[in-house]
Amino acid sequence: PGEPFELTLDFALEATHCDGCSAQIVVGLDNEPSGCLYSGKPGPAPGLEASGSVTLVAPTAPGYYEVTLEARLSDTCASATDGTLANPVVVASIEVAEPPLVNPSRVFSLSNSTHGPQVVLSVTSDLVTMEALANDVDQRWYFVEQMDGWYHIKNAGHSDDHCLEAVGFAQPLVLSPDEGDYHLWRLVEDGGWMRLQNKGMGEALSLDTLEFGSDTFPYLGATNDSDAQRWALTDVGPLW
């Protein structure tokens, strides 16, 4: 979204009955002019055969957009791009994808609304716990997309062939070799927070936290509106 891209096309253009006239090939997205593939005096038939390039900027809104062009007679490219294209020809289309919910090249600390940013998801041996925030690699997590919207959640302090696994309802989470649906997680936006759900356990359960005496453990609990199921991902730096 919002990124520039270059369009290059071969074209043929003539200014019939107008030897000295200026002509343009105007390019647009969904008929809104964005620039000129060509602006000059092509001359009458046989005119000009050439190749041209123009830099366009993708829209910010996700969706499919047609790349269209139209030949116009005008003094300059600036004047030729005034107004929507009346008789456009579709030459290509682009897809502006939804931005990812999480940047795969960054690592994050994970905290929930109940305990605040000073208590984060951590790993002791292969057992996943909630611990006081520290400058500790075992508290840094990264996301590797496996299929559309489903991720392996891996820990920067542990082997990259291990990832977060849901063992079962109300059971502690562990790090284990990454295989099967119980290692796949999705992020669901929830009013500025993220809800984490597991493919193997289904959307009826969400990542939650539970206190045992002075210890706090993450587990999968029945999906509800509690603050303990609202998670924040705080960017703490680049992956590796």
Side-chain angles (χ1 to χ4, degrees):
E3 293 293 323
F5 66 96
E6 187 173 72
L7 175 71
T8 300
L9 289 174
D10 296 328
F11 65 88
L13 182 66
E14 62 181 62
T16 306
H17 310 304
C18 189
D19 189 10
C21 288
S22 294
Q24 291 77 32
I25 299 178
V26 179
V27 181
L29 293 173
D30 281 357
N31 303 335
E32 290 297 325
S34 299
C36 292
L37 187 71
Y38 169 82
S39 182
K41 297 180 179 180
L48 174 69
E49 291 187 7
S51 178
S53 297
V54 61
T55 298
L56 307 175
V57 177
T60 56
Y64 287 91
Y65 298 85
E66 292 181 333
V67 180
T68 53
L69 59 80
E70 181 177 84
R72 290 183 168 181
L73 292 173
S74 190
D75 292 332
T76 65
C77 178
S79 58
T81 53
D82 185 22
T84 58
L85 304 184
N87 299 290
V89 175
V90 177
V91 294
S93 63
I94 64 169
E95 179 187 6
V96 177
E98 292 275 359
L101 290 176
V102 60
N103 188 333
S105 65
R106 309 291 292 181
V107 292
F108 302 86
S109 65
L110 277 68
S111 59
N112 67 11
S113 182
T114 293
H115 298 95
Q118 297 304 310
V119 178
V120 298
L121 202 67
S122 187
V123 181
T124 302
S125 297
D126 286 333
L127 182 64
V128 181
T129 61
M130 298 291 291
E131 304 290 345
L133 179 66
N135 185 23
D136 189 340
V137 69
D138 288 337
Q139 297 182 352
R140 298 179 181 180
W141 302 84
Y142 61 101
F143 293 74
V144 181
E145 190 166 16
Q146 300 299 303
M147 60 183 72
D148 188 24
W150 292 97
Y151 296 86
H152 282 160
I153 303 177
K154 303 194 176 192
N155 186 271
H158 289 252
S159 171
D160 64 5
D161 66 352
H162 283 53
C163 59
L164 194 64
E165 180 188 7
V167 178
F169 172 66
Q171 297 296 312
L173 304 183
V174 298
L175 285 185
S176 64
D178 50 10
E179 53 186 39
D181 287 350
Y182 294 96
H183 293 86
L184 291 172
W185 299 82
R186 71 173 179 176
L187 302 169
V188 181
E189 292 186 281
D190 183 7
W193 298 88
M194 293 291 183
R195 187 182 299 277
L196 282 83
Q197 296 179 333
N198 182 269
K199 186 172 177 62
M201 300 300 293
E203 64 183 19
L205 302 177
S206 295
L207 187 61
D208 204 325
T209 52
L210 182 67
E211 284 72 35
F212 281 103
S214 60
D215 297 322
T216 302
F217 294 94
Y219 77 106
L220 282 177
T223 297
N224 57 54
D225 291 330
S226 72
D227 285 345
Q229 295 188 2
R230 294 186 172 97
W231 292 82
L233 279 62
T234 302
D235 189 325
V236 294
L239 180 60
W240 315 133

